[in-house]
Amino acid sequence: LCNVLESPDCHGLGAGATKSGKTQGLYAQIAALISMYSPNGVKLAIYDGKNSLILPESLKPWLYCDIALAGQGGDYIQALEEERTNRLKARTGYRDITDFNADSPDEKYCYIVALMDEYSTDREFFEGDSGDGGLAKELGKKARSEGIHMFAYDQRATNKNISNEVKANLGARFIYRMVDEKCSDYIEINGAEKLLGKGDLIVKWEGREYRCQMPNCSPKDLELIANKRVEELGLSIDESAPKRFDTEPGEEFDPYEHLLNLAVQNKLE
């Protein structure tokens, strides 16, 4: 897997229809990050808009904040923005947080990777009503200097799911089988609607496109990897204290209603 923390394409957009392998790909991305980095090196900020991700308790040491569900998008995006501004103030006199860390090992900041699944569920919180992309756009433009990287995933890739203003700042692409050519056009990758599903994807990375097969990482696989890493690093799960949210989750995501809405949108388009 691409090392998303050591590349100019440290923000990304992912999309894939049902049964395309997107969720297993997210598990694989998480597994890769915790395998390469300790909790002191990377923290995960996970937004699960469909409330469908099955994540092990042993992942807790790597969590920057509680796993945000539908309705908690406002708290989630605000927490990331506050972290960005705090880091910006802390590194006064340094070009970015990497230079600050090199000179201040005792005050070192870890990377934060924001993985947002079913982004469109709380899009109004991420982007606001102004039409300019809101906090999601600000994070895409400015957060990489602070070691905060954002990857937004959804079932479709259209301006109704994620705005052009936000998309423009997400350089990398992880595109699974899509439902139609409109999505391919929006993400500027040809042929996504012809992919085979089950992890077959196109990765656009640092200006080049690659057709790949994403590992089929199941929740059980992720649990085994996380358990092993906790044991290797001598971590205590009970001592982990991710940032808490005040907002309660909203109504449970209804995938059937969501698919119906998508069908209506396609017909109108």
Side-chain angles (χ1 to χ4, degrees), residues 7-64:
S7 166
D9 280 349
C10 55
H11 298 314
L13 169 64
T18 302
K19 303 297 183 183
S20 66
K22 175 172 64 71
T23 299
Q24 285 73 25
L26 270 169
Y27 292 143
Q29 191 171 0
I30 293 170
L33 286 168
I34 67 172
S35 295
M36 289 188 290
Y37 297 95
S38 74
N40 291 328
V42 69
K43 294 287 187 183
L44 302 172
I46 298 174
Y47 169 79
D48 179 12
K50 197 166 66 173
N51 196 14
S52 63
L53 297 178
I54 303 172
L55 301 172
E57 181 73 11
S58 48
L59 192 64
K60 190 176 178 182
W62 283 271
L63 294 183
Y64 167 74

Side-chain angles (χ1 to χ4, degrees), residues 3-7 10 33 37-45 62 64 87 97-98 101 108-114 144 146-149:
N3 188 345
V4 298
L5 306 185
E6 298 179 5
S7 166
C10 55
L33 286 168
Y37 297 95
S38 74
N40 291 328
V42 69
K43 294 287 187 183
L44 302 172
W62 283 271
Y64 167 74
R87 291 183 176 204
I97 209 71
T98 301
N101 285 345
K108 185 176 179 179
Y109 287 90
C110 66
Y111 290 110
I112 296 176
V113 178
R144 65 167 51 88
E146 316 314 325
I148 301 172
H149 308 307

